[in-house]
């Protein structure tokens, strides 16, 4: 709770805003998505909001374990009298309405604990959003979503991903490995304190050993006691990083392959999250997936160029966008200048973002 309070206090003071409620991003291995389908008989020959609500309600009626809470029910498309791919069914003449949805759920115990922590700090939560969804909202283009794309958010302790096809989300999952596993491997292999391993990773890391320009170049690292130096090659460091990144990619590949999704993602893979800044990641992924690969930063953030192309900001900008889009009249961020629009609000947080990510 102390860390959360300190982070929010700092954000408030740097951005010059009052925070009244929180949009929370969650990333956890318990987060999984499933596709569901609902149906409604159209009551009066013309699809109404009530018919849509009924089709969605039946789609939501899926058995779930006791420790599971639905976080998102995302509309993929409607089928109106057998005609699929409909996005706006209201007003259409029909007798039968079907609804395809993607449900994202997480452990309710995890969510209870997070909610308790936030309310203990005196804040109200207005939205809980899974991180890969937030990152997708900030990073992916409509064209990529239509063509099929997988967003992979490489975080500290998790790798979360989702797949879009035909404009809608169709798969969500999370792995319990992230960038911190790489630092921990470096620490163990080269017998370095974790902090030194992390800084070695950030300064000299590269995930694609075969593309190194000077593989034999040596770097001096401190020994475990920090009082003497030893030399390692850039290539040895790269091989350690590569092994862990490959492991993450293999998990991802086998999930996508099993579900037949590799053939669906013609726009390829977009990486976000702090660990997406690792050098060599695009080349390694291109070799493995044989698909187009890019590192994605947030789009549509005016006046903050370092935020725009930085994958570390994808989730947080996505959360801000989500809050603005889903805010039902309730104010999340009360600016001194009440006339500020959403873009200005995003821009005004630039300083705090730069400092914290
Ligand atoms: N330049 C860089 N090169 C390689 N890795 C980096 C770089 N910058 C940050 N990282 C790694 O990115 C990770 C943090 O990423 P991010 O900020 O997205 O995580 P998080 O959102 O806190 O974690 P999670 O999503 O798992 O809850 C850390 O493992 C960090 O070492
Ligand atoms: Mg994250």
């Amino acid at each position: 709770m102390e860390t959360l309070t300190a982070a929010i206090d700092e954000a408030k003071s740097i951005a010059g805003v009052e925070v009244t409620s929180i949009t929370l991003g969650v990333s956890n291995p318990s987060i999984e998505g499933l596709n569901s389908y609902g149906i409604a008989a159209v009551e009066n020959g013309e699809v109404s909001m009530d018919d849509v609500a009924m089709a969605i309600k039946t789609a939501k009626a899926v058995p779930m374990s006791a420790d599971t809470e639905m976080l998102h029910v995302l509309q993929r498309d409607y089928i109106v009298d057998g005609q699929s791919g409909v996005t706006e069914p209201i007003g259409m003449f029909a007798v039968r309405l079907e609804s395809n949805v993607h449900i994202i759920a997480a452990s309710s115990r995890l969510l209870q604990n997070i909610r308790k922590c936030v309310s203990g700090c005196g804040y109200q939560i207005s939205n809980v959003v899974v991180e890969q969804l937030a990152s997708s909202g900030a990073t992916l283009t409509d064209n990529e979503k239509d063509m099929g794309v997988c967003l992979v958010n490489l975080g500290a302790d998790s790798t979360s991903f989702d797949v879009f096809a035909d404009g809608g989300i169709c798969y969500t999952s999370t792995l319990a490995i992230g960038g911190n596993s790489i630092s921990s491997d470096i620490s163990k292999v080269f017998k370095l304190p974790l902090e030194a391993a992390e800084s070695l990773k950030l300064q000299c890391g590269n995930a694609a050993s075969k593309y190194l320009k000077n593989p034999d170049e040596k770097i001096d690292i401190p020994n475990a006691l920090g009082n003497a130096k030893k030399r390692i090659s850039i290539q040895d460091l790269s091989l350690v990083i590569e092994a862990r990144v490959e492991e993450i990619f293999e998990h991802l590949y086998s999930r996508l392959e099993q579900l037949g999704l590799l053939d669906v993602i013609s726009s390829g893979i977009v990486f976000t999250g702090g660990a997406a800044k690792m050098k060599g990641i695009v080349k390694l992924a291109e070799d493995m997936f044989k698909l187009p690969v890019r590192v994605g930063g947030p789009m549509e953030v005016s006046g903050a160029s370092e935020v725009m192309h930085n994958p570390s900001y994808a989730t947080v900008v996505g959360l801000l966008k989500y809050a603005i889009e889903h805010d039902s009249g309730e104010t999340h961020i009360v600016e001194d200048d009440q006339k500020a629009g959403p873009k200005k609000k995003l821009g005004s947080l630039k300083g705090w973002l730069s400092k914290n990510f």
Side-chain angles (χ1 to χ4, degrees):
M1 287 208 311
E2 270 172 38
T3 314
L4 187 60
T5 307
I8 296 171
D9 284 349
E10 197 178 347
K12 284 198 295 196
S13 93
I14 295 172
V17 299
E18 192 48 56
V19 175
T20 54
S21 64
I22 303 272
T23 289
L24 200 66
V26 284
S27 184
N28 183 267
S30 70
I31 293 168
E32 287 289 338
L34 70 109
N35 293 327
S36 182
Y37 160 87
I39 187 162
V42 176
E43 290 291 331
N44 298 314
E46 190 177 329
V47 178
S48 66
M49 275 173 73
D50 287 348
D51 301 323
V52 169
M54 178 54 73
I56 294 172
K57 189 176 171 191
T58 55
K60 279 167 73 176
V62 284
M64 295 226 159
S65 74
D67 179 38
T68 305
E69 181 181 321
M70 274 186 205
L71 279 177
H72 304 283
V73 179
L74 304 160
Q75 193 62 49
R76 295 172 63 210
D77 70 342
Y78 295 95
I79 307 165
V80 180
D81 281 354
Q83 181 196 335
S84 61
V86 177
T87 50
E88 307 274 350
I90 292 175
M92 288 176 75
F93 296 109
V95 291
R96 176 187 164 111
L97 176 70
E98 294 155 272
S99 156
N100 284 316
V101 301
H102 183 71
I103 297 171
I104 306 177
S107 154
S108 40
R109 266 194 294 275
L110 166 89
L111 297 170
Q112 270 166 9
N113 285 331
I114 300 176
R115 286 188 179 115
K116 192 173 170 190
C117 181
V118 175
S119 64
C121 296
Y123 293 99
Q124 177 201 329
I125 300 175
S126 49
N127 304 291
V128 180
V129 188
V130 302
E131 286 200 8
Q132 55 271 63
L133 189 65
S135 301
S136 300
T139 316
L140 300 180
T141 64
D142 287 345
N143 191 36
E144 282 173 329
K145 289 182 190 170
D146 288 340
M147 299 253 306
V149 66
C150 177
L151 177 125
V152 182
N153 187 52
L154 292 162
D157 297 309
S158 65
T159 298
S160 58
F161 51 102
D162 52 20
V163 174
F164 288 78
D166 298 323
I169 185 167
C170 61
Y171 184 63
T172 306
S173 193
T174 309
L175 304 171
I177 329 174
N180 286 359
S181 304
I182 301 173
S183 313
S184 153
D185 292 345
I186 296 171
S187 161
K188 283 182 196 137
V189 172
F190 300 112
K191 299 187 176 44
L192 278 173
L194 202 50
E195 258 180 40
E198 172 76 13
S199 103
L200 184 61
K201 175 183 86 171
L202 300 187
Q203 280 166 32
C204 308
N206 193 311
S209 66
K210 77 173 182 192
Y211 295 101
L212 289 172
K213 286 198 185 103
N214 301 309
D216 297 326
E217 188 190 334
K218 300 280 189 287
I219 30 177
D220 289 330
I221 57 169
N223 75 359
L225 300 172
N227 56 7
K229 291 204 169 155
K230 59 179 178 178
R231 307 203 105 191
I232 63 163
S233 75
I234 287 278
Q235 182 162 41
D236 286 346
L237 175 65
S238 179
L239 287 168
V240 172
I241 296 169
E242 187 175 66
R244 184 59 85 170
V245 178
E246 268 179 356
E247 186 198 353
I248 296 173
F249 287 178
E250 274 160 16
H251 280 295
L252 183 63
Y253 189 97
S254 69
R255 296 265 187 109
L256 297 177
E257 191 182 35
Q258 269 168 21
L259 294 159
L261 291 170
L262 283 174
D263 299 329
V264 168
I265 49 172
S266 313
S267 287
I269 299 178
V270 176
F271 287 108
T272 60
K277 291 197 276 191
M278 171 62 70
K279 290 192 194 78
I281 208 134
V282 168
K283 283 202 156 54
L284 193 68
E286 280 171 348
D287 283 358
M288 194 157 188
F289 290 91
K290 311 278 184 248
L291 285 166
V293 176
R294 73 174 176 98
V295 171
M299 304 178 295
E300 298 168 11
V301 185
S302 60
S305 58
E306 72 274 34
V307 174
M308 281 276 272
H309 302 292
N310 193 333
S312 292
Y313 298 121
T315 303
V316 77
V317 172
L319 291 173
L320 290 168
K321 278 185 79 175
Y322 189 99
I324 291 165
E325 283 160 16
H326 289 78
D327 194 0
S328 51
E330 187 186 343
T331 311
H332 292 263
I333 298 166
V334 184
E335 286 226 344
D336 293 341
D337 175 4
Q338 290 290 329
K339 288 185 194 138
K343 278 194 173 168
K344 176 140 190 257
K345 288 180 183 182
L346 294 184
S348 71
L349 287 174
K350 172 183 153 190
W352 183 80
L353 292 171
S354 309
K355 227 178 142 218
N356 286 275
F357 293 89

